[in-house]
């Protein structure tokens, strides 16, 4: 497979975004005459993140982009030559120049799938030297994407289905690539959109955003709009001086709220007028630059009511400091009284957005019944995953030349499962998830209604299960370098993720002290593990 033009204009990762020992092993394989030995690796994690019982699989689209563009350039090979032994056979570097992924096959969980410990997110097979070189980039592309998607899913579960969630963590992310990944996969995990414009351009993530405090505080109140005139929303009728109408409304608003007309900050009001002139159909007031109730709210109401006279409806207000829950409830109360006072019904339901270092605990507060918050912007807590900054994915060799391989260590948790495998999800008659089953690829797939003897991971004896339904988990996406079927769109993967989460039982979906989800081995796979673990031939 020749390297292809990436749809985003640049590859998902450069071939040398890798660890040096991948290159040293490549030289070792080549020197041993094993570069083209058929091999298979599995990419998986050992523990669910954040103390939960599930993860969401993500990053597949980036892996496919990486594989389809993979090719070592002359500059890449020249650099490797500079860090490998100077007496390395030049023929090895010629071999590197010829590499691509035309011999690579990938099976994987679809993006948005529920994933559990030990079940492969990806199975990668092909020439040993090539699939070894792919380890670090694939781990990099899958681990963070899956962690972000899972973190976003947790936040969505806390918020519930009605609250709108906006990811706005680009400025807090671990670099530009981390920011783009976080914006992409927080959307897949259940957020409604992002502030990241590049994520909108490249990935189709819905983008949103209005104004910051700098915009508000940049105005003093002495500014005169070059054109304060605004036409009615319907497009018919004379243009109106919006700034003048705002000043007229301010007197009525302040009288209603019991404020002096001089109390609302004139610079804030000038900023709101300027924004209203630029975005009459999407006017939003950022209320806390000075004082929410003595300045931000009355200035917002004056502009919103002036726009309302022309047929425009304000898009919302935002709070970015203080006790967000208490303030949102008070703002809603005042919006309702103003709606009744001025006979403007839509005013009482103006959306209230909040932001300001919102974590899981604060989100739970804002999501409770009666909070009056409609949209929640979350930055640091979604993009940095503070509860667990790494998923801990690994990429392990399971077969070479058709023979199983198993890692035996002093730490039982780090032992690997040998052999090329298939994975299935077993379901009850009501569609509930019973367990995930790993078996050797050569075994016949389990059948619905058939009693199976299985070995739950971590158990010391087998048990039986009779599934009512059986779902294969791993799909063939790339076969010898060729894409087998179109990848789902990001929006489709997002919808699939929400469907997947809805199938989890409440005990598994619970975010604190959940019941662990069961993963089991077939009898034949368990027997292979026992034989190799006892020192039998591989």
């Amino acid at each position: 497979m020749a390297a292809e033009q990436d749809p985003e204009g640049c590859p998902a990762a450069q071939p040398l975004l890798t660890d040096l020992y991948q290159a040293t092993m490549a030289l070792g394989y080549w020197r041993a005459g094993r570069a083209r030995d058929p091999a298979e690796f599995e990419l998986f994690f050992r523990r669910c993140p954040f103390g939960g019982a599930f993860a969401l699989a993500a990053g597949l689209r980036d892996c496919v982009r990486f594989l389809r563009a993979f090719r070592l350039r002359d500059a890449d090979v020249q650099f490797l030559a500079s860090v490998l032994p100077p007496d390395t056979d030049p023929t090895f570097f010629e071999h590197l120049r010829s590499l691509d992924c035309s011999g690579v096959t990938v099976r994987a969980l679809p993006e948005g799938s529920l994933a559990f410990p030990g079940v492969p997110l990806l199975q990668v097979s092909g020439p040993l030297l090539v699939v070894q070189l792919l380890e670090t980039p694939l781990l990099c592309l899958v681990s963070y994407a899956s962690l972000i998607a899972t973190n976003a899913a947790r936040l969505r579960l806390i918020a519930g289905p009605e609250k709108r969630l906006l990811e706005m963590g680009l400025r807090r992310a671990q670099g530009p690539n981390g920011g783009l990944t976080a914006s992409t996969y927080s959307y897949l995990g259940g957020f409604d959109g992002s502030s990241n414009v590049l994520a909108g351009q490249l990935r189709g993530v819905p983008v949103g955003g209005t104004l910051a405090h700098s915009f508000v505080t940049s105005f003093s109140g002495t500014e005169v709009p070059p054109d304060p005139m605004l036409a009615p929303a319907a497009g018919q009728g004379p243009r109106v001086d919006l700034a003048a109408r705002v000043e007229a409304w301010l007197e009525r608003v302040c009288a209603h709220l019991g404020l002096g007309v001089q109390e609302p900050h004139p610079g804030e009001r000038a900023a709101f007028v300027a924004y209203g002139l630029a975005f009459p159909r999407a006017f939003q007031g950022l209320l806390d630059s000075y004082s929410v109730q003595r300045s931000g709210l009355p200035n917002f109401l004056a502009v919103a009511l002036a726009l309302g006279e022309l047929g425009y409806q304000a898009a919302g207000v935002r709070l970015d400091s203080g006790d967000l829950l208490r303030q949102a409830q008070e703002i809603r109360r005042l919006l309702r009284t103003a709606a009744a006072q001025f006979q403007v019904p839509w005013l009482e339901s103006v959306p209230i957005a909040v932001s300001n270092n919102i974590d899981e605990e604060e989100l739970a507060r804002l999501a409770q019944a009666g909070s009056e918050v409609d949209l929640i912007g979350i930055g640091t807590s979604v993009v940095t995953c503070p509860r667990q900054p790494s998923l801990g994915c690994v990429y392990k060799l399971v077969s070479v030349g058709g023979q199983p391989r198993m890692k035996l260590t002093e730490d039982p948790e780090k032992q690997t499962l040998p052999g090329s495998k298939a994975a299935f999800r077993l379901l009850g008659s009501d569609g509930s998830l019973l367990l995930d089953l790993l078996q050797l690829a050569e075994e016949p797939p389990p059948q619905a209604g058939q009693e199976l003897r299985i070995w739950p991971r971590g158990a010391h004896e087998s048990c039986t299960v009779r599934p009512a339904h059986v779902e294969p988990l791993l799909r063939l996406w790339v076969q010898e370098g060729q894409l087998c079927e179109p990848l789902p769109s990001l929006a489709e993967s997002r919808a699939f993720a929400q469907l997947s989460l809805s199938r989890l039982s409440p005990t598994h979906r619970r975010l604190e002290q959940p019941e662990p989800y069961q993963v089991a081995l077939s009898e034949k796979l368990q027997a292979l593990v026992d034989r190799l673990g006892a020192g039998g031939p591989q």
Side-chain angles (χ1 to χ4, degrees):
M1 175 180 66
E4 299 183 14
Q5 182 67 36
D6 186 83
E8 294 186 9
C10 61
Q14 299 289 339
L16 292 195
L17 185 70
T18 191
D19 297 299
L20 181 60
Y21 79 171
Q22 310 294 1
T24 60
M25 285 189 286
L27 175 56
Y29 289 140
W30 182 84
R31 187 68 177 81
R34 306 191 59 212
R36 293 184 172 85
D37 286 4
E40 182 171 334
F41 286 80
E42 290 180 348
L43 192 156
F44 60 93
F45 59 90
R46 295 188 175 107
R47 295 184 183 181
C48 289
F50 313 116
F54 70 88
L56 285 181
L60 175 62
R61 68 187 63 247
D62 290 333
C63 291
V64 171
R65 288 176 49 223
F66 168 69
L67 294 173
R68 300 187 80 185
F70 180 88
R71 197 72 186 248
L72 289 166
R73 302 166 303 160
D74 285 343
D76 300 328
V77 176
Q78 288 168 12
F79 180 78
L80 290 176
S82 75
V83 296
L84 290 173
D87 59 351
T88 301
D89 188 335
T91 310
F92 170 68
F93 298 112
E94 292 307 311
H95 181 73
L96 292 182
R97 285 186 173 88
S98 71
L99 294 180
D100 60 24
C101 288
S102 57
V104 174
T105 294
V106 176
R107 291 177 172 80
L109 296 177
E111 286 196 300
S113 297
L114 291 169
F116 301 103
V119 178
L121 302 176
L122 267 68
Q123 292 176 327
V124 184
S125 58
L128 178 57
L129 186 152
V130 173
V131 292
Q132 182 72 71
L133 284 175
L134 300 178
E135 175 180 2
T136 304
L138 293 181
L139 283 169
C140 189
L141 293 170
V142 170
S143 297
Y144 184 56
S146 298
L147 187 74
I148 286 289
T150 306
N151 193 29
R154 287 175 60 88
L155 294 169
R156 169 52 73 193
L157 289 172
I158 294 170
E162 301 303 322
K163 304 293 185 190
R164 296 189 64 233
L165 297 179
L166 182 72
E167 178 274 317
M168 45 194 297
L170 178 58
R171 64 190 62 190
R172 303 282 187 260
Q174 291 93 337
N177 290 340
L180 181 59
T181 298
S183 299
T184 302
Y185 292 104
S186 61
Y187 178 64
L188 184 148
F191 273 52
D192 294 288
S194 171
S195 66
N196 188 338
V197 177
L198 188 62
Q201 181 191 33
L202 296 182
R203 306 289 178 84
V205 177
V207 295
T210 51
L211 68 162
H213 295 102
S214 57
F215 183 86
V216 175
T217 58
S218 74
F219 287 81
S220 66
T222 61
E223 298 83 4
V224 177
D227 181 7
M229 308 302 287
L230 186 65
Q236 297 178 343
R239 298 170 78 228
V240 172
D241 185 332
L242 182 65
R245 291 306 304 151
V246 167
E247 294 301 319
W249 270 108
L250 183 68
E251 293 187 17
R252 298 176 62 183
V253 167
C254 287
H256 168 65
L257 296 176
L259 298 171
V261 73
Q262 75 284 353
E263 290 188 66
H265 197 289
E268 180 180 59
R269 188 162 58 256
F272 286 0
V273 169
Y275 199 81
L277 286 168
F279 298 96
R281 300 181 190 277
F283 170 64
Q284 184 183 75
L286 177 57
L287 302 187
D288 63 339
S289 295
Y290 300 107
S291 169
V292 172
Q293 293 195 36
R294 295 196 311 274
S295 183
L297 181 62
N299 279 330
F300 166 78
L301 286 172
V303 177
L305 289 164
L307 288 169
E309 286 183 321
L310 296 172
Y312 301 101
Q313 290 189 14
V317 297
R318 180 162 73 93
L319 300 164
D320 191 51
S321 59
D323 187 331
L324 300 175
L325 175 63
R326 181 189 61 78
Q327 289 187 97
Q329 292 170 332
E330 180 63 12
I331 292 298
R332 180 65 70 204
R333 183 186 71 79
L334 293 172
L335 287 173
R336 287 178 177 137
T337 64
Q341 172 70 24
F342 302 117
Q343 298 183 338
V344 182
W346 58 262
L347 193 58
E348 69 177 20
S349 58
V350 165
I352 298 176
V354 298
S355 55
N356 187 27
N357 291 324
I358 294 170
D359 57 15
E360 288 189 359
E361 182 179 357
E362 178 66 6
L363 179 59
R365 238 184 122 234
L366 296 170
Q368 64 185 288
S371 80
E372 301 296 350
V373 171
D374 300 290
L375 186 148
I376 302 168
I378 307 179
T380 305
S381 290
V382 65
V383 305
T384 66
C385 302
R387 289 193 57 169
Q388 182 177 329
S390 173
L391 180 55
C393 286
V394 293
Y395 182 90
K396 297 301 180 183
L397 180 70
V398 296
S399 74
V400 177
Q403 297 303 308
R405 291 292 184 268
M406 180 178 180
K407 176 184 175 183
L408 298 174
T409 73
E410 301 299 323
D411 183 353
E413 186 185 40
K414 292 189 128 184
Q415 291 184 358
T416 60
L417 296 174
S420 181
K421 291 179 282 296
F424 299 90
R425 186 156 290 158
L426 309 187
L427 295 84
S429 58
D430 59 353
S432 61
L433 309 188
L434 300 178
L435 57 87
D436 282 8
L437 177 67
L438 295 174
Q439 65 177 50
L440 295 172
E442 64 199 44
E443 297 183 68
Q447 300 298 312
Q450 169 191 352
E451 184 175 89
L452 303 170
R453 182 159 294 277
I454 60 171
W455 287 81
R457 298 205 70 185
H460 297 293
E461 56 185 37
S462 64
C463 62
T464 59
V465 63
R466 190 187 300 273
H469 307 282
V470 176
E471 296 178 353
L473 293 178
L474 299 167
R475 290 170 61 174
L476 180 64
W477 296 101
V478 176
Q479 186 166 31
E480 295 188 343
Q482 298 301 311
L483 190 63
C484 297
E485 60 176 298
L487 292 168
S489 69
L490 184 60
E492 290 169 335
S493 295
R494 179 182 184 273
F496 181 61
Q498 295 308 301
L499 175 63
S500 299
L501 290 166
S502 71
R503 301 174 70 192
L504 271 177
S505 71
T507 59
H508 294 135
R509 196 184 306 130
R510 193 167 58 221
L511 301 183
E512 300 296 335
Q513 298 182 327
E515 178 183 338
Y517 182 82
Q518 187 63 65
V519 176
L521 311 184
S522 69
E523 280 199 291
K524 192 168 184 178
L525 178 54
Q526 182 64 49
L528 179 62
V529 170
D530 291 342
R531 176 168 63 83
L532 298 183
Q538 295 203 24

